[in-house]
Amino acid sequence: MNVPDGTLVRSRVVGDPRDPLAAALDRRLTGYAVFEPQEALLLDGGSRGIVTFRDGVPELVYYTGTDHGGPTALADLAMPGPYHVELYRLGPDELASIGAHEELVVPPGMPAERLAGDPALAASTRRAAPGDRELSVADDSDESGQTEPGAVEAFLADEAKIDAIKTQAREEAQRRAEEWGFE
């Protein structure tokens, strides 16, 4: 997904993705957020999640680490914090220049539910969505009627991510033990 350069309005390291999602909603942000998860920060992976917003309501999601979009990208992006998050403002025409990518579309409340685990924020986001995008949790299912797995379930099912975190924790513990003179 190619996004135009926007005007940076906020840049923070956050422990909870709820904060930038709530800030985008409160500011009625038209633009995008770039989420850089801890894994990318520590391992120089360069993977980032991009969430576009129109008037504070999420529209598109893309994750560079797996080249997935939509709900699958949210599951890929959902990992333990912290995250470095930047919010960018775009004009409506600039946002429209990204194009309509059906494979990247998410229901309005899904990022709050899947990334932040915050049903209240998800409900607020759905209420703020225009009538043509206002979808309920029941609308977040696939064609077979099965609801897609939540971020936690998807994360726990990804053995490679779990192994990477274990390896990273082991290396960090060993490094600290050496710094402190433990054997």
Side-chain angles (χ1 to χ4, degrees), residues 38 42-43 161-177:
Q38 174 183 336
L42 294 176
L43 302 176
K161 282 185 183 176
I162 302 246
D163 289 341
I165 290 171
K166 286 179 181 177
T167 300
Q168 176 185 334
R170 214 174 284 116
E171 290 170 356
E172 177 68 15
Q174 186 176 21
R175 184 186 63 77
R176 287 190 179 181

Side-chain angles (χ1 to χ4, degrees), residues 108-110 112-113 118-127:
M110 189 177 277
E113 290 166 339
D118 189 334
L121 178 59
S124 296
T125 304
R126 281 192 289 276
R127 282 192 301 274

Side-chain angles (χ1 to χ4, degrees), residues 132-153:
D132 63 335
R133 291 214 54 238
E134 189 174 332
L135 299 173
S136 69
V137 174
D139 294 329
D140 296 348
S141 60
D142 65 18
E143 294 169 5
S144 68
Q146 297 293 316
T147 301
E148 292 190 27
V152 173
E153 291 90 352

